[in-house]
Amino acid sequence: TGIAQLITAPIAIWLDRRYGARLLTVIGFLMFAIGLAMSGFETPALDYDEMFWPQIVRGSFVALCILPATRFALGLLPLSRVSDASGLYNLSRNLGGAIGIALIDTILFTRGPEFASRLTELMGTAPEEAARLMAVPMEDLPDPDDAMGLVGFMDVIQEASLTMAINEAWLMLSGITFLALALLLVMGPIRVPEGHPILNARAKM
């Protein structure tokens, strides 16, 4: 992700200087949301190849979620208001990050045990589905009525349930990003303060 971001950052800066903030932010949010959703269907058997492209997509477009959005928020304000607006913008961004982390933690610590119980039930009612979710051969599943066998298999169940909770967190983040994209699309035109050097036609893009 970091390598992709490093490579594409100069391109994002070049685009930010030439195209409207709304258009670039829409592209950035859309592709970042897709990159998040690409990680929402993982299994414990996931390896490097499956994890590669989602990280490339997220890293390539994250700059378009930051640079144009910052210009969108601050770039058209009178210079006398930029200082106060910047403080409020940073506060909102940090608060949003804290809320996002709290939501992720909530999903991981509450949904994980629920998924573990669901997997244990599936081992008896739908062993094929349970084996698929846990990425193990069906013949390796213990008998649900064998308490000792379940204890020995608990590490596999916990790994799979945590993976399912992480998938849900990825999809939640993707949904929030799509929501932000929808809000961005319904926003009205950017109002350029009188005498501002940025052209009105560019601001309305």
Side-chain angles (χ1 to χ4, degrees), residues 185-201:
L185 291 174
V186 300
M187 288 176 61
I190 304 173
R191 293 173 175 81
V192 182
E194 185 177 352
H196 199 283
I198 298 180
L199 297 177
N200 284 286

Side-chain angles (χ1 to χ4, degrees), residues 42-45 107-121 123 130 133-136 141-142 149-167:
E42 300 173 348
T43 70
I107 288 177
L108 296 184
F109 287 104
T110 60
R111 296 290 286 164
E114 294 178 13
F115 284 129
S117 298
R118 176 186 167 192
L119 287 171
T120 303
E121 294 175 3
M123 290 169 60
L133 292 172
M134 291 186 283
V136 297
L141 296 180
L150 285 176
V151 170
F153 205 69
M154 192 55 63
D155 287 345
V156 177
I157 296 175
Q158 289 180 347
E159 184 180 70
S161 63
L162 178 59
T163 301
M164 294 170 69
I166 291 173
N167 287 344

Side-chain angles (χ1 to χ4, degrees), residues 138-149:
M138 195 172 66
E139 56 268 19
D140 289 350
L141 296 180
D143 187 334
D145 296 327
D146 181 5
M148 293 304 297

Side-chain angles (χ1 to χ4, degrees), residues 36-134:
L36 291 166
M38 289 171 67
S39 292
F41 305 93
E42 300 173 348
T43 70
L46 197 75
D47 61 14
Y48 178 86
D49 292 338
E50 286 82 6
M51 296 183 68
F52 179 81
W53 288 111
Q55 294 185 77
I56 292 296
V57 172
R58 292 194 295 269
S60 298
F61 289 93
V62 67
L64 291 183
C65 299
I66 300 174
L67 295 176
T70 302
R71 176 157 62 92
F72 206 125
L74 306 176
L76 301 176
L77 292 174
L79 293 179
S80 60
R81 299 179 59 189
V82 169
S83 178
D84 291 338
S86 177
L88 182 60
Y89 180 77
N90 289 331
L91 173 64
S92 301
R93 185 178 61 186
N94 292 336
L95 181 61
I99 293 174
I101 293 172
L103 288 174
I104 293 171
D105 286 346
T106 300
I107 288 177
L108 296 184
F109 287 104
T110 60
R111 296 290 286 164
E114 294 178 13
F115 284 129
S117 298
R118 176 186 167 192
L119 287 171
T120 303
E121 294 175 3
L122 284 176
M123 290 169 60
T125 59
E128 298 89 352
E129 178 70 8
R132 184 187 66 82
L133 292 172
M134 291 186 283

